[in-house]
Amino acid sequence: MSKAEGSRAMLGDGDSTNLSRTFKYLMATQFLSRGIPFIFNSWIVRHLTEDDYALYAVQFHLFVTCVLFLSREGFRRACMRADFSNAAPMQKNAAKLLKVAWLSVPLGILITCAASMLVFWWQSISYTNPYAQAILINGFACILELLAEPLYILSQNLLLLRLRLIVETAATLLRCTTTYVLIASQIDMEKGIVFALSQTAYGACLFFGYWGYFLLFRVLRCSDLFPFRVGNAVGSDKQLSDMCMLFTLQSFRKLILQEGEKMVLVWLDTPYNQAVYGLVDKLGSLVVRLMFLPFEESSYATFARKSPK
């Protein structure tokens, strides 16, 4: 992976991208990011109680999914439709895109705070409660991921598929390893805190992975990565910003359709039934996610810019 790869992708690969190549990388990414937890879950399910597994597989997963999905899904979908003009310099196109993508960070921080306060109110818990501390740590993990989100969006537009493969695989492996070490060592720590720390390790790996690549390989100047600096003449794309807001509003409905059953389980059902559902959901839907999610993402990445704005 080199600076030249990013430049070639930016300058013309968008229209000539081979669907099979994109699918290959996304398939590999999904295979590793799903396969590693599949092996790990086969071990962890034997070392947790029903209540602990309900936290791991349903409750914390639902919290993180809701925060991240509402914060970034609209930006991811809209920014893939960004018009990267070949006539304009790569730095200008990237700065114009990042000026919109960075808006996902303050939005995500607001959603994280709102979701945390909602959980505190709904559970009637204080900050000293281990569950509350785990929620706060998970919130911090979400913010770490969101701080890497602008560079994730940029890498997707540059078609740096190998970067995503490496970073997400390393993050998944680190999360599973952290959980394994903390549980296997049998330290005196609440399981909820263990799961939250492993999620933080995942977010930190994403953060350092994307930022490390763009800063160390000098793909873009720092002034392009932070386009809000005084004196930056690049204007924001109002049409793209409006599209981000539209997709973000639509993501609320999509989230309910996607995670509605988990919301009902957490609200009304017992931890035992939540644990059973979490086990079936994580293990039973593996093949479907491996096959159809890469195809959906590769199709969107290939044809998004050709659709009418």
Side-chain angles (χ1 to χ4, degrees):
M1 189 176 359
S2 64
K3 181 177 179 180
E5 178 186 351
S7 301
R8 287 195 300 269
M10 189 71 174
L11 292 174
D13 284 357
D15 293 334
S16 61
T17 299
N18 191 309
L19 180 61
S20 61
R21 173 182 174 273
T22 309
F23 179 82
K24 177 186 70 174
Y25 274 106
L26 293 176
M27 180 70 178
T29 302
Q30 286 298 317
F31 180 81
L32 291 172
S33 62
R34 303 286 181 181
I36 293 173
F38 176 83
I39 298 172
F40 168 74
N41 284 330
S42 302
W43 173 84
I44 194 177
V45 72
R46 306 171 188 174
H47 296 78
L48 297 177
T49 65
E50 293 86 352
D51 290 354
D52 292 335
Y53 196 78
L55 287 178
Y56 168 73
V58 177
Q59 296 178 25
F60 290 167
H61 176 77
L62 180 62
F63 175 83
V64 172
T65 300
C66 288
V67 169
L68 294 178
F69 192 87
L70 294 177
S71 302
R72 67 190 185 188
E73 179 66 14
F75 289 87
R76 288 187 172 186
R77 292 295 179 182
C79 288
M80 285 303 296
R81 296 170 176 250
D83 183 16
F84 276 17
S85 173
N86 290 338
M90 181 182 68
Q91 291 80 5
K92 184 176 181 180
N93 283 329
K96 194 174 183 181
L97 175 70
L98 286 173
K99 208 156 194 175
V100 176
W102 268 109
L103 297 177
S104 63
V105 177
L107 175 63
I109 293 175
L110 289 176
I111 292 177
T112 302
C113 295
S116 301
M117 289 188 292
L118 177 63
V119 172
F120 284 7
W121 171 79
W122 176 55
Q123 296 279 8
S124 299
I125 53 179
S126 64
Y127 297 102
T128 57
N129 188 292
Y131 188 92
Q133 294 171 2
I135 288 295
L136 292 176
I137 297 173
N138 273 306
F140 176 69
C142 291
I143 293 175
L144 279 177
E145 285 195 51
L146 290 170
L147 288 174
E149 187 61 25
L151 298 188
Y152 168 87
I153 292 174
L154 178 60
S155 69
Q156 289 296 98
N157 279 269
L158 294 175
L159 298 177
L160 298 176
L161 303 175
R162 196 183 308 170
L163 173 64
R164 178 181 174 184
L165 172 63
I166 294 173
V167 172
E168 291 193 5
T169 301
T172 302
L173 186 59
L174 180 60
R175 176 174 58 188
C176 294
T177 303
T178 302
T179 308
Y180 173 82
V181 169
L182 292 177
I183 292 179
S185 59
Q186 298 182 347
I187 60 176
D188 186 18
M189 181 183 297
E190 293 286 339
K191 292 297 191 297
I193 303 294
V194 170
F195 303 143
L197 290 176
S198 66
Q199 186 64 34
T200 303
Y202 179 86
C205 189
L206 292 180
F207 175 80
F208 288 112
Y210 282 108
W211 278 101
Y213 173 78
F214 280 94
L215 292 177
L216 293 177
F217 287 90
R218 302 280 183 174
V219 178
L220 293 170
R221 298 172 302 180
C222 289
S223 59
D224 296 321
L225 296 177
F226 299 97
F228 294 101
R229 295 178 59 181
V230 177
N232 194 312
V234 177
S236 59
D237 190 334
K238 188 177 186 305
Q239 183 182 24
L240 183 59
S241 301
D242 293 340
M243 195 183 304
C244 288
M245 292 300 105
L246 176 62
F247 279 116
T248 298
L249 292 175
Q250 291 178 354
S251 67
F252 282 86
R253 181 180 61 181
K254 186 177 179 181
L255 177 66
I256 294 176
L257 295 175
Q258 179 175 307
E259 303 291 342
E261 68 276 9
K262 291 181 182 176
M263 297 177 185
V264 174
L265 276 172
V266 172
W267 186 23
L268 298 175
D269 220 331
T270 63
Y272 175 81
N273 288 336
Q274 293 175 26
V276 172
Y277 174 88
L279 182 63
V280 173
D281 180 62
K282 284 186 175 295
L283 303 183
S285 60
L286 181 65
V287 176
V288 176
R289 289 174 177 172
L290 283 177
M291 292 302 299
F292 291 104
L293 188 57
F295 184 77
E296 176 189 355
E297 289 193 23
S298 59
S299 300
Y300 196 91
T302 303
F303 302 116
R305 293 193 192 116
K306 297 182 180 180
S307 63
K309 300 295 188 289

